[in-house]
Amino acid sequence: MDDKVRINIQIGDNKHPLFVSRDEEPIFRDAARLVNERLMAYTRKYRASGLPKDYLMAFAAVDIAARFVQQDRDSNAESAEQSLKALAAEIRDYLSN
């Protein structure tokens, strides 16, 4: 059974109620913390520009998404490399017999 709990996370100046599984609660809290950290970094960087908060939030979201995409690509590349090494080892074993 998927045991859902209600949590409140704060992103910027807004609180957001969410229903998540107990197992996912720490993930969502860490994700909110990451968003807030990136938001603060962009807020400091562009303080003098007067950009609206929603622009800064978008910058933070794209920053996090870009890091996720890069990590996913790196993971896929490592997986492909491991598969190729295993295949090469099988071919060497086959040819040596």
Side-chain angles (χ1 to χ4, degrees):
M1 181 175 175
D2 197 19
D3 191 18
K4 298 275 185 177
V5 294
R6 182 175 190 257
I7 63 171
N8 288 298
I9 59 171
Q10 185 158 340
I11 304 292
D13 299 330
N14 301 311
K15 288 187 180 180
H16 303 278
L18 296 173
F19 285 95
V20 299
S21 71
R22 287 191 187 280
D23 295 343
E24 292 178 325
E25 181 181 359
I27 295 168
F28 278 87
R29 292 197 184 279
D30 288 346
R33 188 172 21 261
L34 176 62
V35 170
N36 283 315
E37 287 171 3
R38 298 310 310 147
L39 178 58
M40 287 305 300
Y42 281 104
T43 299
R44 284 190 300 272
K45 183 174 183 177
Y46 294 105
R47 180 174 292 142
S49 70
L51 287 174
K53 197 77 154 187
D54 59 335
Y55 278 56
L56 301 172
M57 186 68 74
F59 291 166
V62 170
D63 184 321
I64 292 167
R67 293 168 192 252
F68 175 81
V69 168
Q70 184 62 51
Q71 184 177 7
D72 189 49
R73 287 181 180 172
D74 291 347
S75 177
N76 287 338
E78 288 174 18
S79 178
E81 184 179 347
Q82 290 172 353
S83 296
L84 287 173
K85 285 181 180 179
L87 182 58
E90 287 181 36
I91 291 171
R92 278 193 301 275
D93 287 346
Y94 177 78
L95 293 175
S96 66
N97 290 330

